[in-house]
Amino acid sequence: MDKNTELLNKANKLFLKKLFRDSLPMYDEILRSDPENIDVINNKGYALSKMKNYDEAISCYDRGLKKNPTEKCLLINKISALRKKEKFEDALELCNFILNYNASENIVLYHKIRILYSMKKFRESINICDKLLELYPNNGDVLFDKSCNFAALGETLSCISNLKLAISISSKFKVNAKKNNVFESLKEQKAFQELVKQ
C-alpha cells in the first residue's frame, strides 16, 4: 500500500468518526503530492463543510471543479454548502446545471425543493415535490416539505392532507410539525391537533 492510500484510509477513518479537523492535515498532505485527486478534494471540502467552514469548503470544491466541471459529487456538495450560506441563487443555478444533464437526479431535486422554499417560491417548490413523488410516492420527507409549502401559502386542506400522508409513513413528522414555525397558524385547528398528538 502506498503512502497516499495509507493516509487516505487514516483520514477517512477520522472523518467517519466525525473528527473532521484531525482529518484535514492528512488530506492536505495527499494533495501536496496528488493535487488533482477528486476524492480527496471532495472529502476535504465535506470535512470543512461539516465544521461550518463553508467558504473554504466551496473553495475546495471549486479547485476540483476547475479540472472536472461536471463532477457530480463536487457539484452536489457545493450546492449544500451554498444553501447553508444562504446563497440560494447560486445554489439554484448549480441545481439547474445538473438537472439539464439528468432531470431526475434525486438529491439535486431534493436540494431544489429546500432552496425554492427558502426563496419563498412555494409553488415552484411544490412542483419539484410532485416530480419526486412521481418517482417515490412514499417519501415522507418530500410529503412533509410539500405540506410546509402549502402551510406557507395558507392552503390548509392541502397542507393537512400531505402532512397526514407524511405522518402515516413516519411518526417523526409529528415532532417536526410541532417544532416547525410554518404550522403556527394551524396549531389551534382540530385537524392539525389530531394529526400531531402522541
Side-chain angles (χ1 to χ4, degrees):
M1 188 183 306
D2 72 13
K3 188 184 175 192
N4 279 353
T5 307
E6 209 172 302
L7 272 172
L8 184 58
N9 288 341
K10 280 184 187 173
N12 288 345
K13 279 179 188 166
L14 291 168
F15 181 94
L16 292 171
K17 290 179 184 171
K18 299 187 177 175
L19 299 169
F20 304 116
R21 190 174 307 283
D22 297 337
S23 71
L24 290 176
M26 292 178 198
Y27 291 136
D28 284 334
E29 191 174 334
I30 298 167
L31 289 170
R32 277 193 285 278
S33 62
D34 186 7
E36 291 175 17
N37 187 317
I38 291 299
D39 292 333
V40 176
I41 290 168
N42 189 48
N43 288 11
K44 180 185 175 185
Y46 201 72
L48 288 163
S49 200
K50 285 290 189 183
M51 293 163 56
K52 298 185 178 0
N53 191 340
Y54 303 120
D55 288 325
E56 273 191 60
I58 290 165
S59 293
C60 200
Y61 299 135
D62 284 341
R63 173 182 177 173
L65 289 166
K66 270 183 193 162
K67 275 281 183 193
N68 303 275
T70 59
E71 174 57 46
K72 193 168 69 176
C73 284
L74 292 173
L75 288 167
I76 288 171
N77 287 336
K78 184 176 176 183
I79 289 167
S80 181
L82 287 167
R83 252 186 72 196
K84 287 169 183 147
K85 275 188 61 76
E86 299 185 1
K87 291 194 163 200
F88 301 125
E89 293 286 349
D90 294 340
L92 188 59
E93 191 178 313
L94 278 185
C95 286
N96 292 333
F97 174 73
I98 296 171
L99 293 170
N100 281 337
Y101 293 100
N102 182 357
S104 59
E105 186 65 56
N106 300 339
I107 192 144
V108 178
L109 288 170
Y110 191 71
H111 275 299
K112 193 169 178 179
I113 288 168
R114 295 284 176 91
I115 292 162
L116 290 167
Y117 178 83
S118 297
M119 295 171 80
K120 301 190 183 335
K121 295 183 176 186
F122 305 120
R123 291 268 174 238
E124 287 179 54
S125 185
I126 289 166
N127 290 338
I128 306 298
C129 289
D130 289 337
K131 269 190 193 176
L132 265 176
L133 290 168
E134 279 174 27
L135 300 166
Y136 305 99
N138 295 320
N139 187 315
D141 289 302
V142 176
L143 287 162
F144 184 79
D145 285 339
K146 192 175 175 184
S147 72
C148 290
N149 278 293
F150 278 123
L153 289 165
E155 296 181 20
T156 304
L157 290 177
S158 296
C159 169
I160 295 287
S161 67
N162 281 281
L163 184 57
K164 188 176 184 178
L165 286 169
I167 289 169
S168 74
I169 292 161
S170 171
S171 59
K172 75 175 184 179
F173 297 112
K174 288 184 183 191
V175 178
N176 293 3
K178 284 184 197 174
K179 288 184 190 171
N180 196 317
N181 291 337
V182 79
F183 298 109
E184 197 61 46
S185 64
L186 299 179
K187 289 188 175 167
E188 300 305 312
Q189 295 202 17
K190 194 167 173 40
F192 181 81
Q193 291 169 356
E194 285 294 314
L195 268 183
V196 299
K197 74 179 181 188
Q198 296 300 334

PDB file of all heavy atoms in Angstrom, residues 91-113:
ATOM      1  N   ALA A  91     -26.885  28.442  -5.550  1.00  0.00           N
ATOM      2  CA  ALA A  91     -27.198  27.022  -5.341  1.00  0.00           C
ATOM      3  C   ALA A  91     -28.223  26.547  -6.374  1.00  0.00           C
ATOM      4  O   ALA A  91     -28.089  25.457  -6.945  1.00  0.00           O
ATOM      5  CB  ALA A  91     -27.729  26.807  -3.925  1.00  0.00           C
ATOM      6  N   LEU A  92     -29.227  27.385  -6.629  1.00  0.00           N
ATOM      7  CA  LEU A  92     -30.268  27.040  -7.603  1.00  0.00           C
ATOM      8  C   LEU A  92     -29.680  26.918  -9.014  1.00  0.00           C
ATOM      9  O   LEU A  92     -30.045  26.006  -9.766  1.00  0.00           O
ATOM     10  CB  LEU A  92     -31.368  28.103  -7.567  1.00  0.00           C
ATOM     11  CG  LEU A  92     -32.636  27.821  -8.373  1.00  0.00           C
ATOM     12  CD1 LEU A  92     -33.306  26.534  -7.919  1.00  0.00           C
ATOM     13  CD2 LEU A  92     -33.606  28.994  -8.265  1.00  0.00           C
ATOM     14  N   GLU A  93     -28.768  27.806  -9.340  1.00  0.00           N
ATOM     15  CA  GLU A  93     -28.114  27.771 -10.658  1.00  0.00           C
ATOM     16  C   GLU A  93     -27.374  26.436 -10.859  1.00  0.00           C
ATOM     17  O   GLU A  93     -27.449  25.827 -11.925  1.00  0.00           O
ATOM     18  CB  GLU A  93     -27.136  28.949 -10.763  1.00  0.00           C
ATOM     19  CG  GLU A  93     -26.586  29.177 -12.150  1.00  0.00           C
ATOM     20  CD  GLU A  93     -25.653  30.386 -12.193  1.00  0.00           C
ATOM     21  OE1 GLU A  93     -26.005  31.455 -11.651  1.00  0.00           O
ATOM     22  OE2 GLU A  93     -24.564  30.231 -12.771  1.00  0.00           O
ATOM     23  N   LEU A  94     -26.683  25.986  -9.805  1.00  0.00           N
ATOM     24  CA  LEU A  94     -25.974  24.705  -9.890  1.00  0.00           C
ATOM     25  C   LEU A  94     -26.945  23.529  -9.989  1.00  0.00           C
ATOM     26  O   LEU A  94     -26.691  22.570 -10.722  1.00  0.00           O
ATOM     27  CB  LEU A  94     -25.063  24.507  -8.677  1.00  0.00           C
ATOM     28  CG  LEU A  94     -23.702  25.177  -8.715  1.00  0.00           C
ATOM     29  CD1 LEU A  94     -22.889  24.778  -7.489  1.00  0.00           C
ATOM     30  CD2 LEU A  94     -22.930  24.830  -9.968  1.00  0.00           C
ATOM     31  N   CYS A  95     -28.053  23.603  -9.249  1.00  0.00           N
ATOM     32  CA  CYS A  95     -29.084  22.556  -9.353  1.00  0.00           C
ATOM     33  C   CYS A  95     -29.545  22.430 -10.804  1.00  0.00           C
ATOM     34  O   CYS A  95     -29.603  21.323 -11.352  1.00  0.00           O
ATOM     35  CB  CYS A  95     -30.301  22.885  -8.481  1.00  0.00           C
ATOM     36  SG  CYS A  95     -30.053  22.654  -6.721  1.00  0.00           S
ATOM     37  N   ASN A  96     -29.860  23.568 -11.402  1.00  0.00           N
ATOM     38  CA  ASN A  96     -30.365  23.557 -12.775  1.00  0.00           C
ATOM     39  C   ASN A  96     -29.317  23.058 -13.760  1.00  0.00           C
ATOM     40  O   ASN A  96     -29.652  22.365 -14.727  1.00  0.00           O
ATOM     41  CB  ASN A  96     -30.882  24.945 -13.159  1.00  0.00           C
ATOM     42  CG  ASN A  96     -32.139  25.304 -12.381  1.00  0.00           C
ATOM     43  OD1 ASN A  96     -32.894  24.433 -11.961  1.00  0.00           O
ATOM     44  ND2 ASN A  96     -32.352  26.585 -12.155  1.00  0.00           N
ATOM     45  N   PHE A  97     -28.052  23.368 -13.490  1.00  0.00           N
ATOM     46  CA  PHE A  97     -26.954  22.889 -14.329  1.00  0.00           C
ATOM     47  C   PHE A  97     -26.929  21.353 -14.336  1.00  0.00           C
ATOM     48  O   PHE A  97     -26.853  20.714 -15.388  1.00  0.00           O
ATOM     49  CB  PHE A  97     -25.624  23.450 -13.807  1.00  0.00           C
ATOM     50  CG  PHE A  97     -24.407  22.920 -14.503  1.00  0.00           C
ATOM     51  CD1 PHE A  97     -24.089  23.324 -15.794  1.00  0.00           C
ATOM     52  CD2 PHE A  97     -23.574  22.012 -13.865  1.00  0.00           C
ATOM     53  CE1 PHE A  97     -22.959  22.831 -16.444  1.00  0.00           C
ATOM     54  CE2 PHE A  97     -22.445  21.518 -14.504  1.00  0.00           C
ATOM     55  CZ  PHE A  97     -22.137  21.925 -15.798  1.00  0.00           C
ATOM     56  N   ILE A  98     -27.034  20.746 -13.156  1.00  0.00           N
ATOM     57  CA  ILE A  98     -27.023  19.282 -13.061  1.00  0.00           C
ATOM     58  C   ILE A  98     -28.287  18.695 -13.679  1.00  0.00           C
ATOM     59  O   ILE A  98     -28.237  17.699 -14.407  1.00  0.00           O
ATOM     60  CB  ILE A  98     -26.884  18.821 -11.588  1.00  0.00           C
ATOM     61  CG1 ILE A  98     -25.538  19.260 -11.013  1.00  0.00           C
ATOM     62  CG2 ILE A  98     -27.034  17.302 -11.472  1.00  0.00           C
ATOM     63  CD1 ILE A  98     -25.387  19.050  -9.527  1.00  0.00           C
ATOM     64  N   LEU A  99     -29.432  19.313 -13.404  1.00  0.00           N
ATOM     65  CA  LEU A  99     -30.706  18.779 -13.892  1.00  0.00           C
ATOM     66  C   LEU A  99     -30.827  18.867 -15.415  1.00  0.00           C
ATOM     67  O   LEU A  99     -31.606  18.125 -16.007  1.00  0.00           O
ATOM     68  CB  LEU A  99     -31.879  19.479 -13.192  1.00  0.00           C
ATOM     69  CG  LEU A  99     -31.983  19.187 -11.690  1.00  0.00           C
ATOM     70  CD1 LEU A  99     -32.998  20.103 -11.025  1.00  0.00           C
ATOM     71  CD2 LEU A  99     -32.336  17.720 -11.430  1.00  0.00           C
ATOM     72  N   ASN A 100     -30.042  19.743 -16.035  1.00  0.00           N
ATOM     73  CA  ASN A 100     -30.003  19.781 -17.508  1.00  0.00           C
ATOM     74  C   ASN A 100     -29.444  18.480 -18.073  1.00  0.00           C
ATOM     75  O   ASN A 100     -29.817  18.065 -19.159  1.00  0.00           O
ATOM     76  CB  ASN A 100     -29.151  20.958 -18.006  1.00  0.00           C
ATOM     77  CG  ASN A 100     -29.919  22.263 -17.950  1.00  0.00           C
ATOM     78  OD1 ASN A 100     -31.144  22.278 -17.959  1.00  0.00           O
ATOM     79  ND2 ASN A 100     -29.198  23.356 -17.884  1.00  0.00           N
ATOM     80  N   TYR A 101     -28.533  17.849 -17.320  1.00  0.00           N
ATOM     81  CA  TYR A 101     -27.942  16.577 -17.748  1.00  0.00           C
ATOM     82  C   TYR A 101     -28.798  15.399 -17.319  1.00  0.00           C
ATOM     83  O   TYR A 101     -28.878  14.397 -18.013  1.00  0.00           O
ATOM     84  CB  TYR A 101     -26.528  16.412 -17.154  1.00  0.00           C
ATOM     85  CG  TYR A 101     -25.531  17.391 -17.695  1.00  0.00           C
ATOM     86  CD1 TYR A 101     -25.189  18.533 -16.975  1.00  0.00           C
ATOM     87  CD2 TYR A 101     -24.929  17.195 -18.931  1.00  0.00           C
ATOM     88  CE1 TYR A 101     -24.269  19.454 -17.476  1.00  0.00           C
ATOM     89  CE2 TYR A 101     -24.015  18.106 -19.445  1.00  0.00           C
ATOM     90  CZ  TYR A 101     -23.691  19.230 -18.708  1.00  0.00           C
ATOM     91  OH  TYR A 101     -22.789  20.125 -19.203  1.00  0.00           O
ATOM     92  N   ASN A 102     -29.365  15.509 -16.119  1.00  0.00           N
ATOM     93  CA  ASN A 102     -30.164  14.403 -15.580  1.00  0.00           C
ATOM     94  C   ASN A 102     -31.342  14.989 -14.804  1.00  0.00           C
ATOM     95  O   ASN A 102     -31.210  15.384 -13.649  1.00  0.00           O
ATOM     96  CB  ASN A 102     -29.296  13.517 -14.670  1.00  0.00           C
ATOM     97  CG  ASN A 102     -30.060  12.335 -14.117  1.00  0.00           C
ATOM     98  OD1 ASN A 102     -31.264  12.180 -14.356  1.00  0.00           O
ATOM     99  ND2 ASN A 102     -29.382  11.489 -13.377  1.00  0.00           N
ATOM    100  N   ALA A 103     -32.492  15.032 -15.457  1.00  0.00           N
ATOM    101  CA  ALA A 103     -33.678  15.704 -14.899  1.00  0.00           C
ATOM    102  C   ALA A 103     -34.254  15.005 -13.676  1.00  0.00           C
ATOM    103  O   ALA A 103     -35.072  15.582 -12.965  1.00  0.00           O
ATOM    104  CB  ALA A 103     -34.753  15.831 -15.974  1.00  0.00           C
ATOM    105  N   SER A 104     -33.835  13.767 -13.422  1.00  0.00           N
ATOM    106  CA  SER A 104     -34.399  13.057 -12.263  1.00  0.00           C
ATOM    107  C   SER A 104     -33.325  12.723 -11.221  1.00  0.00           C
ATOM    108  O   SER A 104     -33.410  11.720 -10.526  1.00  0.00           O
ATOM    109  CB  SER A 104     -35.113  11.783 -12.721  1.00  0.00           C
ATOM    110  OG  SER A 104     -34.216  10.932 -13.395  1.00  0.00           O
ATOM    111  N   GLU A 105     -32.317  13.593 -11.106  1.00  0.00           N
ATOM    112  CA  GLU A 105     -31.257  13.413 -10.100  1.00  0.00           C
ATOM    113  C   GLU A 105     -31.844  13.729  -8.724  1.00  0.00           C
ATOM    114  O   GLU A 105     -31.995  14.893  -8.327  1.00  0.00           O
ATOM    115  CB  GLU A 105     -30.083  14.332 -10.424  1.00  0.00           C
ATOM    116  CG  GLU A 105     -28.877  14.133  -9.548  1.00  0.00           C
ATOM    117  CD  GLU A 105     -28.233  12.776  -9.704  1.00  0.00           C
ATOM    118  OE1 GLU A 105     -27.874  12.400 -10.833  1.00  0.00           O
ATOM    119  OE2 GLU A 105     -28.093  12.091  -8.667  1.00  0.00           O
ATOM    120  N   ASN A 106     -32.188  12.662  -7.987  1.00  0.00           N
ATOM    121  CA  ASN A 106     -32.994  12.797  -6.761  1.00  0.00           C
ATOM    122  C   ASN A 106     -32.448  13.790  -5.748  1.00  0.00           C
ATOM    123  O   ASN A 106     -33.178  14.642  -5.258  1.00  0.00           O
ATOM    124  CB  ASN A 106     -33.136  11.431  -6.063  1.00  0.00           C
ATOM    125  CG  ASN A 106     -33.815  10.425  -6.938  1.00  0.00           C
ATOM    126  OD1 ASN A 106     -34.509  10.794  -7.882  1.00  0.00           O
ATOM    127  ND2 ASN A 106     -33.626   9.171  -6.657  1.00  0.00           N
ATOM    128  N   ILE A 107     -31.175  13.651  -5.416  1.00  0.00           N
ATOM    129  CA  ILE A 107     -30.616  14.505  -4.352  1.00  0.00           C
ATOM    130  C   ILE A 107     -30.625  15.972  -4.764  1.00  0.00           C
ATOM    131  O   ILE A 107     -30.835  16.862  -3.946  1.00  0.00           O
ATOM    132  CB  ILE A 107     -29.216  14.031  -3.905  1.00  0.00           C
ATOM    133  CG1 ILE A 107     -28.809  14.746  -2.617  1.00  0.00           C
ATOM    134  CG2 ILE A 107     -28.169  14.215  -4.962  1.00  0.00           C
ATOM    135  CD1 ILE A 107     -28.019  13.899  -1.678  1.00  0.00           C
ATOM    136  N   VAL A 108     -30.451  16.222  -6.055  1.00  0.00           N
ATOM    137  CA  VAL A 108     -30.467  17.606  -6.557  1.00  0.00           C
ATOM    138  C   VAL A 108     -31.894  18.152  -6.519  1.00  0.00           C
ATOM    139  O   VAL A 108     -32.126  19.299  -6.119  1.00  0.00           O
ATOM    140  CB  VAL A 108     -29.881  17.683  -7.988  1.00  0.00           C
ATOM    141  CG1 VAL A 108     -29.946  19.108  -8.520  1.00  0.00           C
ATOM    142  CG2 VAL A 108     -28.439  17.182  -7.989  1.00  0.00           C
ATOM    143  N   LEU A 109     -32.856  17.315  -6.897  1.00  0.00           N
ATOM    144  CA  LEU A 109     -34.262  17.731  -6.811  1.00  0.00           C
ATOM    145  C   LEU A 109     -34.623  18.044  -5.358  1.00  0.00           C
ATOM    146  O   LEU A 109     -35.324  19.017  -5.082  1.00  0.00           O
ATOM    147  CB  LEU A 109     -35.185  16.640  -7.368  1.00  0.00           C
ATOM    148  CG  LEU A 109     -35.153  16.461  -8.882  1.00  0.00           C
ATOM    149  CD1 LEU A 109     -35.912  15.190  -9.289  1.00  0.00           C
ATOM    150  CD2 LEU A 109     -35.754  17.672  -9.600  1.00  0.00           C
ATOM    151  N   TYR A 110     -34.120  17.230  -4.447  1.00  0.00           N
ATOM    152  CA  TYR A 110     -34.410  17.460  -3.031  1.00  0.00           C
ATOM    153  C   TYR A 110     -33.812  18.784  -2.560  1.00  0.00           C
ATOM    154  O   TYR A 110     -34.480  19.567  -1.865  1.00  0.00           O
ATOM    155  CB  TYR A 110     -33.903  16.288  -2.178  1.00  0.00           C
ATOM    156  CG  TYR A 110     -34.415  16.368  -0.777  1.00  0.00           C
ATOM    157  CD1 TYR A 110     -35.756  16.123  -0.499  1.00  0.00           C
ATOM    158  CD2 TYR A 110     -33.592  16.742   0.264  1.00  0.00           C
ATOM    159  CE1 TYR A 110     -36.249  16.235   0.780  1.00  0.00           C
ATOM    160  CE2 TYR A 110     -34.070  16.855   1.551  1.00  0.00           C
ATOM    161  CZ  TYR A 110     -35.397  16.595   1.803  1.00  0.00           C
ATOM    162  OH  TYR A 110     -35.889  16.727   3.076  1.00  0.00           O
ATOM    163  N   HIS A 111     -32.563  19.055  -2.945  1.00  0.00           N
ATOM    164  CA  HIS A 111     -31.962  20.354  -2.608  1.00  0.00           C
ATOM    165  C   HIS A 111     -32.807  21.490  -3.206  1.00  0.00           C
ATOM    166  O   HIS A 111     -33.035  22.513  -2.548  1.00  0.00           O
ATOM    167  CB  HIS A 111     -30.533  20.458  -3.165  1.00  0.00           C
ATOM    168  CG  HIS A 111     -29.488  19.864  -2.280  1.00  0.00           C
ATOM    169  ND1 HIS A 111     -29.238  20.303  -1.008  1.00  0.00           N
ATOM    170  CD2 HIS A 111     -28.598  18.864  -2.502  1.00  0.00           C
ATOM    171  CE1 HIS A 111     -28.254  19.605  -0.471  1.00  0.00           C
ATOM    172  NE2 HIS A 111     -27.841  18.718  -1.367  1.00  0.00           N
ATOM    173  N   LYS A 112     -33.263  21.293  -4.430  1.00  0.00           N
ATOM    174  CA  LYS A 112     -34.018  22.345  -5.124  1.00  0.00           C
ATOM    175  C   LYS A 112     -35.326  22.650  -4.388  1.00  0.00           C
ATOM    176  O   LYS A 112     -35.718  23.818  -4.278  1.00  0.00           O
ATOM    177  CB  LYS A 112     -34.287  21.934  -6.577  1.00  0.00           C
ATOM    178  CG  LYS A 112     -34.783  23.083  -7.431  1.00  0.00           C
ATOM    179  CD  LYS A 112     -34.795  22.736  -8.914  1.00  0.00           C
ATOM    180  CE  LYS A 112     -35.341  23.905  -9.714  1.00  0.00           C
ATOM    181  NZ  LYS A 112     -35.366  23.648 -11.156  1.00  0.00           N
ATOM    182  N   ILE A 113     -35.985  21.629  -3.859  1.00  0.00           N
ATOM    183  CA  ILE A 113     -37.208  21.838  -3.055  1.00  0.00           C
ATOM    184  C   ILE A 113     -36.908  22.794  -1.907  1.00  0.00           C
ATOM    185  O   ILE A 113     -37.628  23.770  -1.686  1.00  0.00           O
ATOM    186  CB  ILE A 113     -37.725  20.485  -2.484  1.00  0.00           C
ATOM    187  CG1 ILE A 113     -38.326  19.626  -3.593  1.00  0.00           C
ATOM    188  CG2 ILE A 113     -38.762  20.727  -1.373  1.00  0.00           C
ATOM    189  CD1 ILE A 113     -38.593  18.185  -3.165  1.00  0.00           C
TER     190      ILE A 113
END
